Amino acid sequence: MLLFTIMGFVADNDNELRGEIRMKKLSALVLAIVMMAGLVAGCGSNSSKPAAGGGEVSLKVAHAAADNTAKHAAWLNFKKLVEERSGGKIKVAIFPNAQLGSEREYIEALQVGNIAMASVSTAPVANFKKEFYAFDIPFLFKNRETAHKVVDGPVGQEILAGLDSIQIKGLGFWENGFRHMTNNKVAIRKPDDLKGLKMRTMENELHMALFKALGANPTPMAYGEVFTALQQGTVDGQETPFELIHTNRFYEVQKYVIDTGHLYSPFLIMMSKQVYEKLSPEHRKIVEDAVKETTKMQRELAKKNEAIAIDAIKTKSTIINLTDEERKAFRDKMGPVNEQAKQKAGDAIVTKILEASK
């Protein structure tokens, strides 16, 4: 309990990346507490406590989305399936709304077994496993069906399996939607329209490079600060999927929403390798099957929620629907960013993912 109380105190509800200095301080603090408490695999009153031999198991799940999103609904479905199929031997506790910190903190907690499972977007994971930078290639997928084909196919599963090397078990990909731009100044239809705009981005090199290539001024910022920054004009715009534009009420303080679909960053369903390896074979299968079944439900719900979000956004913002030709003008500016992605992720994996996405 002490560990996550302190993590919750330090966290600022950012569901993406934060400053390196602050994270080093947090990591040192967490490590000290873990050593003092003798936590090797997440023991303690509030940690996941898998028991050997198919005994009772407590799984702590963390995610940063609101409790009215498709992601949270999916975790509730996962909980229902797992608890029913295990006859109550597996108990699942879900902590939404970044209650246990940021997505980066989830990754670090998974590595040492202090939480059992988490759903995290691919962007922060790339800082721990470089192959995930491949998902930061702008305009990589033409639609969600292509994206699902790739992440569920050989190359997606290869990237997912690579998480083993950082003490995390990759279990699947959930839908996060394509990212779209919003701003309060101009109805963007061409790259030049972004010149000089201060656009909030994640603290991700390729995301920042994308906006620099378009002439904008990328401004990394804690996610929990974005609404206020937009409202006060600290930044001119931001970029997130339609569902998050809706659930975070960004459309209430942004005049224009542009359906650029410039990035696709799915949610990763991850489990602590330490926790996974302590589960009985029977319990492992229950967890894995529940993730697979929930994936279909989550994707369908995410699609429905996106339609609801678009209708809500239209009540207060103007949605700019780009033509194929207009979208191509943005893609044509991405050459340097694509080359940077190859350098970051590795030429081989980028070639595979580009080939699979055709």
Side-chain angles (χ1 to χ4, degrees), residues 7 18 52 134 165 173 189 201 212 246 298 307 323-324 337:
M7 286 179 71
R18 277 191 265 159
S165 67
F173 293 91
R189 284 198 171 273
T201 70
K212 285 180 181 178
H246 177 218
Q298 192 273 341
T323 66
D324 290 342
V337 186

Side-chain angles (χ1 to χ4, degrees), residues 170-299:
L171 296 177
F173 293 91
W174 285 357
E175 178 70 18
N176 189 17
F178 287 86
R179 302 181 79 85
H180 305 281
M181 301 179 195
T182 74
N183 84 97
N184 232 6
K185 289 192 171 182
V186 60
I188 296 169
R189 284 198 171 273
K190 57 185 184 299
D192 284 350
D193 291 337
L194 277 105
K195 285 187 177 178
L197 287 183
K198 292 179 68 176
M199 296 291 292
R200 185 270 173 181
T201 70
M202 285 190 272
E203 195 172 333
N204 176 291
E205 290 182 44
L206 295 182
H207 290 208
M208 295 171 70
L210 182 157
F211 282 94
K212 285 180 181 178
L214 296 174
N217 179 15
T219 307
M221 180 182 295
Y223 194 72
E225 300 171 7
V226 177
F227 183 89
T228 301
L230 295 171
Q231 189 177 46
Q232 296 178 349
T234 306
V235 292
D236 300 312
Q238 63 84 50
E239 48 88 49
T240 42
F242 282 125
E243 185 180 18
L244 296 185
I245 293 171
H246 177 218
T247 57
N248 289 286
R249 300 182 295 113
F250 293 152
Y251 67 102
E252 295 182 359
V253 290
Q254 294 278 270
K255 187 174 181 179
Y256 302 106
V257 176
I258 302 89
D259 74 331
T260 47
H262 52 280
L263 288 168
Y264 181 87
S265 179
F267 289 126
L268 287 167
I269 306 307
M270 304 189 296
M271 189 169 196
S272 167
K273 193 174 179 182
Q274 291 186 30
V275 174
Y276 178 83
E277 291 179 346
K278 288 190 175 184
L279 295 177
S280 68
E282 178 188 359
H283 284 172
R284 289 182 190 178
K285 188 174 189 310
I286 289 172
V287 168
E288 290 174 343
D289 287 348
V291 169
K292 288 178 183 177
E293 291 180 36
T294 300
T295 296
K296 181 179 179 181
M297 166 262 178
Q298 192 273 341
R299 289 174 178 175

Side-chain angles (χ1 to χ4, degrees), residues 26-88:
L26 175 63
S27 297
L29 179 60
V30 170
L31 180 60
I33 296 170
V34 169
M35 291 177 67
M36 287 188 293
L39 298 176
V40 176
C43 297
S45 61
N46 247 353
S47 300
S48 302
K49 298 190 291 185
E56 291 189 359
V57 176
S58 176
L59 300 180
K60 176 181 285 184
V61 175
H63 73 84
D67 56 12
N68 60 346
T69 58
K71 181 160 68 166
H72 186 66
W75 277 120
L76 291 175
N77 186 71
F78 169 84
K79 171 184 171 71
K80 179 176 180 290
L81 293 177
V82 166
E83 292 184 349
E84 285 180 354
R85 293 174 182 179
S86 68

Side-chain angles (χ1 to χ4, degrees), residues 130-138 140-141 150 155 158-159 206 335 337-358:
K130 68 175 187 175
E131 288 80 5
F132 283 90
Y133 276 114
F135 288 104
D136 293 319
I137 297 172
L140 176 61
F141 304 122
V150 173
V155 63
E158 177 184 340
I159 296 174
L206 295 182
V337 186
N338 293 339
E339 287 303 312
Q340 190 174 342
K342 289 181 181 179
Q343 293 174 10
K344 297 290 291 184
D347 219 7
I349 201 68
V350 169
T351 299
K352 287 181 181 180
I353 204 167
L354 287 174
E355 185 64 29
S357 63
K358 288 182 179 178

